């Protein structure tokens, strides 16, 4: 796997490798917030849960998100050794919800986790198979594998 690391220094966003380099001058230093996350941190993550989501299931998830369009959260849970994703907000009594079976089998251990729905809205736009991984620290990684690349989208879980 190859990782791309973007560096922000003195108002310049830069990338450099052996064949290409680029510098993008930011208008102000505060336009792009410097994340507390870096590539080495990602490389050190241990994922104790993985499930593959085929493209047909990705389409089904998009339809479910349309149904529960008023929510900003989703839950991933294990029920009777099956993995479900629920769109809705279990913390309020006025939110509609919809639960979709993700998989009849999975690798690893899983407790219920809650995440912001924006990562799914972003990754389901690609209509690719996805590999959903959850780290021991609760971090969610959605991996999109394409013929010439692998895209990793990472987020932390929401506080309950």
């Amino acid at each position: 796997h190859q990782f791309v690391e973007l560096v922000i220094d003195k108002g310049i966003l830069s990338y450099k490798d052996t064949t290409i380099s680029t510098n993008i001058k930011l208008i102000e230093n505060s336009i792009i917030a410097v994340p507390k996350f870096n590539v080495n941190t990602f490389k050190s993550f241990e994922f104790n849960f993985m499930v593959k989501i085929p493209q047909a299931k990705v389409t089904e998830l998009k339809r479910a998100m349309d149904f529960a369009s008023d929510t900003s959260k989703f839950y991933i849970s294990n029920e009777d050794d099956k993995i479900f994703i629920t769109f809705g907000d279990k913390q309020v009594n006025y939110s509609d919800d919809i639960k979709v079976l993700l998989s009849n089998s999975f690798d690893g251990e899983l407790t219920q986790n809650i995440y912001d729905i924006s990562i799914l809205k972003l990754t389901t736009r690609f209509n690719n198979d996805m590999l959903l991984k959850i780290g021991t620290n609760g971090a969610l990684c959605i991996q999109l594998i394409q013929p010439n690349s692998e895209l990793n989208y990472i987020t932390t879980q929401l506080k309950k």
Side-chain angles (χ1 to χ4, degrees), residues 17-80:
D17 72 13
T18 58
T19 60
I20 190 171
S21 67
T22 185
N23 293 305
I24 300 170
K25 292 165 185 69
L26 306 174
I27 295 172
E28 296 177 26
N29 288 339
S30 62
I31 285 181
I32 298 178
V34 177
K36 297 177 184 177
F37 179 85
N38 67 43
V39 173
N40 292 330
T41 302
F42 174 68
K43 289 179 182 178
S44 70
F45 282 177
E46 292 181 31
F47 294 101
N48 61 337
F49 170 82
M50 284 189 257
V51 63
K52 185 174 182 181
I53 305 171
Q55 192 278 329
K57 185 61 73 173
V58 171
T59 300
E60 192 176 326
L61 292 176
K62 287 166 55 172
R63 289 183 188 134
M65 281 189 283
D66 287 343
F67 173 82
S69 61
D70 65 334
T71 188
S72 62
K73 301 176 183 178
F74 71 95
Y75 300 78
I76 301 172
S77 58
N78 175 3
E79 298 174 27
D80 299 323

Side-chain angles (χ1 to χ4, degrees), residues 74-141:
F74 71 95
Y75 300 78
I76 301 172
S77 58
N78 175 3
E79 298 174 27
D80 299 323
D81 293 327
K82 295 178 181 178
I83 300 302
F84 290 90
I85 189 165
T86 303
F87 298 101
D89 189 342
K90 296 179 180 181
Q91 297 170 329
V92 297
N93 58 5
Y94 57 82
S95 175
D96 296 333
D97 65 75
I98 185 168
K99 181 165 64 172
V100 177
L101 175 67
L102 269 187
S103 180
N104 287 313
S105 63
F106 61 97
D107 293 326
E109 299 176 20
L110 178 69
T111 58
Q112 179 173 284
N113 293 285
I114 179 174
Y115 299 98
D116 187 292
I117 201 167
S118 60
I119 192 168
L120 270 182
K121 287 182 177 180
L122 174 66
T123 55
T124 56
R125 290 178 44 213
F126 292 98
N127 285 324
N128 285 58
D129 290 352
M130 301 185 333
L131 182 62
L132 189 141
K133 305 188 293 188
I134 298 177
T136 54
N137 58 2
L140 171 69
C141 175

